[in-house]
Amino acid sequence: MRIVVAGAAGFIGSHFCDRLIADGHTVVAFDNFLTGSPSNLSALRNEPRFSLIDQDITQPFELHGAVDAVANLASPASPKDYLEHPIETLDAGALGTRRMLELALAKGARFLLTSTSECYGDPLVHPQVETYWGNVNPVGPRSCYDESKRFAEALTMAYHRQHGIRTNIARIFNTYGPRMKLDDGRVVPAFVDQALRSEPMTIFGDGSQTRSFCYVDDLVDGLCRLMLSDERYPVNLGNPHEMTILEFAEHIRSVTGSASPIQFRPLPEDDPKVRRPDISKARALLGWSPCVPLEEGLRRTVEYFRGVRTIGAS
Ligand SMILES: NC(=O)c1ccc[n+]([C@@H]2O[C@H](COP(=O)([O-])OP(=O)(O)OC[C@H]3O[C@@H](n4cnc5c(N)ncnc54)[C@H](O)[C@@H]3O)[C@@H](O)[C@H]2O)c1
């Protein structure tokens, strides 16, 4: 297949491209490098089936030739990034998604949207099932991301209903792995960075809030399966293994061999207290569930961050 991937130079996008190329597909990658970097795609630089185009998907573009599938991953995704770029984030979900849907429509291609568990907001239903409509503050600081994705989901369904496009919507839960940015403020790179520096590990709140973390290879496998399925409604993709942030900090200390102490800070506004996907739908429809154990995923991630820090220091 010839597949257009928007947001290809980001954390998940770059792993997705690696997988599509390894599976024999041709990839046309779009990115404006707002939060991603071409260096994430350096392994594909000499690959003839891969091309990278510097393109903001909220702006008009032309793409010649047939396209079989369009995957839209383009959006700032870490709280630090979307709080710094709230308008770009809303535009990416609204205008950007619209342009990618128009591309899919014009080419007769299928369309994949990467949405987010943030659509559930601070959830009142636990674990989160796809039929739960969420508890989102529409005007809080995080609303630029949450509402951008909720709009993108609604737009995707509207294109499916009005134009019959074969669409898929992935609701991605916290994902981690190599190529996350060390300074993006998300809990995995923040903890690993602090642990490797032997600095205090910062926990917001009392550490009893829960999260579940999915290794990026598992997530990408879920996206590939979903992209070929006939399910039009959202499907949760994430790891249902839930733990408190305090427990997670302990795991990072153990994998890094660090003796960093824990430091507590006030909880940011609208921070969800619990987060765990119900993945029954993905299991039944896609035969998918995550298989990389946390210790193994963390080991690979810490190895990557050690490498990044060594390059940075030299
Ligand atoms: N990482 C997670 O845990 C997670 C969780 C839920 C959902 N998601 C979703 O998965 C997708 C990828 O997330 P990520 O973690 O890789 O984030 P990322 O910031 O690493 O990657 C996003 C990429 O999109 C690009 N981009 C942003 N706006 C653009 C625009 N207007 N035009 C072209 N490119 C643009 C960025 O430069 C970046 O390369 C996002 O849509 C995000 O909402 C991620």
Side-chain angles (χ1 to χ4, degrees):
M1 290 204 283
R2 186 172 186 241
I3 303 174
V4 173
V5 178
F11 159 51
I12 297 176
S14 62
H15 287 276
F16 188 51
C17 290
D18 287 345
R19 166 72 190 262
L20 295 176
I21 290 293
D23 286 354
H25 299 296
T26 296
V27 173
V28 180
F30 285 171
D31 208 294
N32 66 350
F33 313 117
L34 179 67
T35 57
S37 160
S39 64
N40 286 334
L41 295 163
S42 54
L44 300 177
R45 200 178 291 135
N46 299 320
E47 168 56 59
R49 284 179 288 114
F50 180 78
S51 53
L52 174 60
I53 300 170
D54 182 350
Q55 176 67 50
D56 181 338
I57 62 157
T58 68
Q59 300 301 315
F61 61 84
E62 257 187 273
L63 182 68
H64 299 291
V67 173
D68 302 292
V70 175
N72 185 18
L73 289 83
S75 170
S78 79
K80 184 171 171 227
D81 284 336
Y82 59 70
L83 293 175
E84 211 170 291
H85 303 287
I87 296 170
E88 288 89 340
T89 302
L90 282 155
D91 279 352
L95 305 175
T97 301
R98 175 102 197 251
R99 287 200 191 279
M100 300 314 284
L101 280 161
E102 283 293 330
L103 175 67
L105 180 60
K107 302 287 186 183
R110 53 190 320 143
F111 178 84
L112 170 72
L113 174 71
T114 57
S115 183
T116 171
S117 55
E118 301 294 338
C119 287
Y120 301 120
D122 189 1
L124 304 175
V125 167
H126 190 65
Q128 290 76 58
V129 273
E130 290 88 346
T131 44
Y132 176 50
W133 293 348
N135 177 38
V136 172
N137 175 352
V139 291
R142 302 168 72 108
S143 62
C144 58
Y145 184 60
D146 306 1
E147 297 296 1
S148 147
K149 291 292 185 178
R150 287 166 70 101
F151 180 85
E153 287 194 4
L155 193 61
T156 300
M157 291 306 298
Y159 268 73
H160 166 63
R161 292 191 178 107
Q162 193 164 327
H163 297 294
I165 299 184
R166 289 174 303 162
T167 53
N168 302 104
I169 300 174
R171 283 201 186 134
I172 301 174
F173 284 64
N174 284 357
T175 301
Y176 74 100
R179 302 187 197 147
M180 295 186 92
K181 288 182 292 179
L182 254 187
D183 63 347
D184 82 356
R186 285 187 268 201
V187 67
V188 176
F191 279 176
V192 173
D193 190 38
Q194 289 168 332
L196 291 180
R197 288 176 195 277
S198 301
E199 285 175 3
M201 293 167 77
T202 315
I203 288 189
F204 295 98
D206 62 4
S208 64
Q209 69 272 38
T210 66
R211 295 292 183 272
S212 53
F213 298 94
C214 185
Y215 189 66
V216 65
D217 288 359
D218 281 333
L219 189 270
V220 161
D221 185 54
L223 291 179
C224 290
R225 289 171 189 241
L226 179 60
M227 196 170 63
L228 299 176
S229 92
D230 290 330
E231 177 60 27
R232 305 291 163 238
Y233 285 97
V235 177
N236 287 340
L237 294 178
N239 194 318
H241 178 201
E242 182 184 18
M243 72 199 84
T244 67
I245 286 291
L246 202 54
E247 283 168 335
F248 187 62
E250 291 301 341
H251 279 289
I252 301 264
R253 277 212 290 213
S254 138
V255 172
T256 53
S258 169
S260 289
I262 305 284
Q263 191 175 66
F264 295 93
R265 294 262 178 83
L267 202 61
E269 196 178 334
D270 297 334
D271 198 50
K273 286 173 250 341
V274 286
R275 185 53 65 72
R276 168 157 68 100
D278 180 321
I279 60 163
S280 314
K281 189 172 175 181
R283 278 189 215 274
L285 281 178
L286 315 175
W288 177 86
S289 60
C291 55
V292 178
L294 181 67
E295 298 299 321
E296 173 58 19
L298 283 180
R299 199 190 52 71
R300 294 185 209 169
T301 309
V302 168
E303 204 172 292
Y304 168 80
F305 281 132
R306 279 194 211 274
V308 171
R309 283 162 44 86
T310 310
I311 293 166
S314 61

